[in-house]
Amino acid sequence: MMQRRHRRANAGLLLLLYEIFHVGLQNIPPVTLGVLALNIFLFLNPVRPLLEVCISVDEGFYRKSWQRLLLSPVHHADDWHLYYNMISMLWKGIILEKKLKSIWFAYVIAVFSVLIGVVYMVLELMLAKILDDPSYEMNCAVGFSGVLFALKVLNNHYNPGRVSSVFGLQISSKYACWVELVAIHLISPGTSFCGHLAGILVGLMYTMGPLQKIMKACAGGISSFTDPARPRDYYSEYYGYPGYQYRTPRSYYDYTGGLTEDEQLERAVQNSLNERDFDGATYNNERRPYGFWFPPEQHSEEEIRRQRLHRFERE
């Protein structure tokens, strides 16, 4: 009996490891891989028993056990809890880490992990006061699912217009997280509704609220902590979310000279042919407002041919 339970307890973990190696370690970005490794390691070697790492109003707020904000997201109740959370983290991490870049993504994960615990306690405390039911203050939660709901909000924000399948239903990605929140709670009443809701709210605080600006301000002194989702080019002040749908800059004419792409290419070819001086006369002082310049005068085909032959003879 104990042997069967032991094998059953490891089934989710073994399946998770199989999926990770099936994807390939070289195909998983470093922060995502680190999060997976940390959660697996702490599942096999928990820092403390679950009752001593889970987060609740009673333990976190009243008893000031603030270390639970750090420990509760990376501990899981069983191997299947770990499996489903880490499979979701695997795919969301691959997409978002490439989008946000590793340093910023690690920053997001760290901030979300702590902040979701705080929001969770606020929600539980509100329910306890509104419903006059102190039991909500005792609800203790563990697991990475709150962070995953926040990342789902980010993923839908940066990749709009998609359709997600939630338990077989085709739902617009804009509303998928809300439908999934209700569906999971109805199917598995033992899951933490407030924990998942806290993740959605933190995700919205980042995409639609002040959280992203606050994080940028806090990290402003570290040059590598810039949000890479914002393009770093001449049009950066016109960037827009989501999905890199940038607005056309107001001074677009200043960059193109009013020419189409084909006309710009043709002009660039002409400039490359005329880059050298004609008959010893140079045009270095000629103004080049669009990154290329127009010849000061037109020459006949015979004259151009003669000038090219003269130039090549001198070379």
Side-chain angles (χ1 to χ4, degrees), residues 118-128 193-195 197-198 201:
V118 174
V119 175
Y120 167 76
M121 288 192 292
V122 171
L123 292 175
E124 291 283 8
L125 185 60
M126 289 174 58
L127 285 175
F193 182 85
C194 285
L197 178 58
L201 295 179

Side-chain angles (χ1 to χ4, degrees), residues 91-154:
W91 298 116
K92 288 181 176 65
I94 289 175
I95 295 172
L96 285 174
E97 187 168 347
K98 291 179 180 178
K99 181 78 171 182
L100 300 176
K101 307 306 178 187
S102 295
I103 294 179
W104 187 266
F105 186 62
Y107 185 32
V108 166
I109 292 292
V111 172
F112 280 13
S113 296
V114 174
L115 187 56
I116 287 170
V118 174
V119 175
Y120 167 76
M121 288 192 292
V122 171
L123 292 175
E124 291 283 8
L125 185 60
M126 289 174 58
L127 285 175
K129 300 301 181 183
I130 293 173
L131 301 178
D132 193 23
D133 186 352
S135 66
Y136 285 100
E137 297 179 355
M138 308 299 293
N139 288 341
C140 215
V142 293
F144 209 70
S145 54
V147 178
L148 294 172
F149 267 86
L151 295 181
K152 188 177 186 68
V153 173
L154 265 64

